[in-house]
Amino acid sequence: MHLIQEIATAMMSPSKGILAADESQHTMQKRFALIGLEQNSENDRRYRNMLFTTAGIEHYLSGIILHDETIHQNSDNKIPFATLLSNLGILPGIKVDQGLTSLESSPDEKVSIGLEGLADRLEEYYSLGARFTKWRSVISIGDDLPTQDALKKNADVLAEYAEVAQSKKMVPIVEPEVLFDGKHTLARSGEVLRDTLQTLYKALAEHEVTLNAMILKTSMALPGKKSDTPLDPSAIAEETIAALRDTVPADVAGVVFLSGGQMAKQATSNLNAIAKLGVQSWPITFSYSRAIEEPVIATWRGDEANRIAAQNVLLQRLEDNVAARNGIYVPK
Ligand code: 13P
């Protein structure tokens, strides 16, 4: 498979999704703290080994996003993780942004960094087997946030990244995450999602990014975590799809959702409600980290004795989310 359009299409295979296993060491520290496990490179490796050697994941996953640390590591059997995944028919991807920094014009907001040296890093990742990339920016909702400057600066960085990725024959997953921290309403979240995506697609057009060789990774429109509004999957689905339909061009290869800190089953129910709204211009699937991995980590606890139990939890989370992307998820 050579054309990046073909890779993008394969990433959006029917009845599959993309696992975001690209947590930074800092994030792994937070995840492992919950199970009292020390974060170090060997524990990160053991954890990813457990995930990636789960028998049957290839039936549910078209791709897995790796972190820089992971793409340089090997399985227990000394096979580089990217090779192990390719051998299973799972496309290896790589997170390539290098985190966030405060925005000069608005210190409460962030802009993502990592463009310097990006082309060279992509060449190395390609040689290690990665065929797609991911870049995350964050947009915060507050009384006066997001500012136009935050929307524009993040859109410009994302678009420049996508242009570089495509020039290196790698599919960009472009992720402007609208955070759901705060007290905002569902309608306000939908409005910010619209503004974010409108600004993003203008920047992508300016950078002449090929739409059928890029994937949008987006948040759902959600009422803020601190608002009193209960999460209603059908209202969330309506608001989310309305915002996407207004802003995401039909040529885009696919739309994948992040889970953003929702409870695992909530993220699945919301995806199911989105799928039940019917076929859209672009295929839709999941690209969750926490909503898949949190229950897996809680079962694994760093102990080899829990490996099979944790792998069974992973398979169940994948099966449920694949059912949800097809609109046939029934919560148990
Ligand atoms: P969550 O599903 O935990 O939001 O993570 C997805 C992701 O890739 C964030 O960059």
Side-chain angles (χ1 to χ4, degrees):
M1 194 174 355
H2 295 296
L3 281 177
I4 46 174
Q5 278 90 348
E6 287 175 18
I7 295 170
T9 303
M11 289 165 69
M12 298 307 300
S13 292
S15 298
K16 289 188 182 175
I18 296 170
L19 175 66
D22 59 339
E23 302 87 353
S24 64
Q25 284 99 329
H26 177 68
T27 302
M28 289 314 293
Q29 198 167 18
K30 287 197 270 180
R31 304 279 181 273
F32 286 168
L34 300 172
I35 54 166
L37 183 69
E38 185 194 338
Q39 184 278 323
N40 55 44
S41 150
E42 175 55 12
N43 279 339
D44 293 349
R45 192 201 66 77
R46 289 174 56 236
Y47 173 62
R48 266 63 180 248
N49 184 78
M50 181 274 295
L51 292 179
F52 303 162
T53 60
T54 300
I57 48 169
E58 68 275 18
H59 301 305
Y60 305 105
L61 292 174
S62 58
I64 297 184
I65 315 172
L66 305 175
H67 188 269
D68 176 77
E69 177 187 63
T70 318
I71 202 166
H72 291 101
Q73 290 180 322
N74 296 335
S75 70
D76 287 354
N77 293 339
K78 309 282 178 253
I79 301 172
F81 281 132
T83 308
L84 182 149
L85 296 179
S86 297
N87 290 346
L88 288 170
I90 298 174
L91 288 158
I94 182 83
K95 168 196 170 77
V96 297
D97 65 82
Q98 295 181 316
L100 305 166
T101 187
S102 290
L103 197 64
E104 236 170 78
S105 61
S106 172
D108 290 339
E109 294 180 289
K110 308 280 185 203
V111 63
S112 46
I113 50 174
L115 289 173
E116 210 183 310
L118 176 63
D120 291 342
R121 285 192 288 129
L122 293 187
E123 280 176 18
E124 190 214 346
Y125 292 139
Y126 193 97
S127 75
L128 293 171
R131 290 295 175 267
F132 69 93
T133 61
K134 180 194 101 172
W135 185 295
R136 171 178 179 259
S137 275
V138 300
I139 302 294
S140 299
I141 305 181
D143 288 342
D144 302 312
L145 304 183
T147 59
Q148 283 307 312
D149 200 35
L151 293 179
K152 176 86 172 67
K153 289 235 161 61
N154 279 297
D156 286 344
V157 171
L158 283 162
E160 189 167 342
Y161 139 72
E163 183 185 354
V164 176
Q166 289 188 339
S167 77
K168 295 293 171 190
K169 307 281 177 253
M170 296 170 93
V171 174
I173 296 186
V174 178
E175 181 185 8
E177 175 172 358
V178 177
L179 299 176
F180 92 110
D181 302 329
K183 290 187 179 164
H184 53 268
T185 61
L186 174 61
R188 170 85 178 124
S189 172
E191 184 182 280
V192 173
L193 187 57
R194 238 186 216 91
D195 288 349
T196 301
L197 296 177
Q198 208 157 48
T199 314
L200 174 67
Y201 276 98
K202 191 163 176 281
L204 289 168
E206 283 161 10
H207 283 261
E208 297 182 3
V209 170
T210 307
L211 295 179
N212 66 0
M214 64 87 51
I215 288 174
L216 172 70
K217 179 159 177 167
T218 179
S219 311
M220 297 170 186
L222 292 168
K225 266 181 213 166
K226 291 193 188 134
S227 78
D228 300 328
T229 325
L231 292 178
D232 168 11
S234 50
I236 288 165
E238 296 276 1
E239 190 71 43
T240 303
I241 287 297
L244 294 179
R245 274 193 198 143
D246 285 352
T247 53
V248 183
D251 286 352
V252 167
V255 172
V256 298
F257 286 99
L258 59 96
S259 58
Q262 304 176 63
M263 302 296 287
K265 289 190 177 176
Q266 250 166 25
T268 309
S269 294
N270 291 339
L271 177 63
N272 191 60
I274 287 170
K276 282 175 98 167
L277 293 179
V279 176
Q280 308 297 334
S281 312
W282 356 262
I284 291 178
T285 192
F286 61 89
S287 177
Y288 295 158
S289 166
R290 280 167 285 180
I292 289 174
E293 292 183 40
E294 265 175 7
V296 180
I297 296 181
T299 306
W300 180 57
R301 308 194 70 78
D303 189 343
E304 173 59 21
N306 299 328
R307 181 171 55 86
I308 300 288
Q311 291 180 328
N312 285 336
V313 173
L314 173 62
L315 288 172
Q316 188 64 57
R317 289 306 299 138
L318 294 176
E319 188 185 315
D320 286 352
N321 284 300
V322 163
R325 73 95 86 186
N326 293 331
I328 53 166
Y329 168 62
V330 182
K332 296 188 187 69

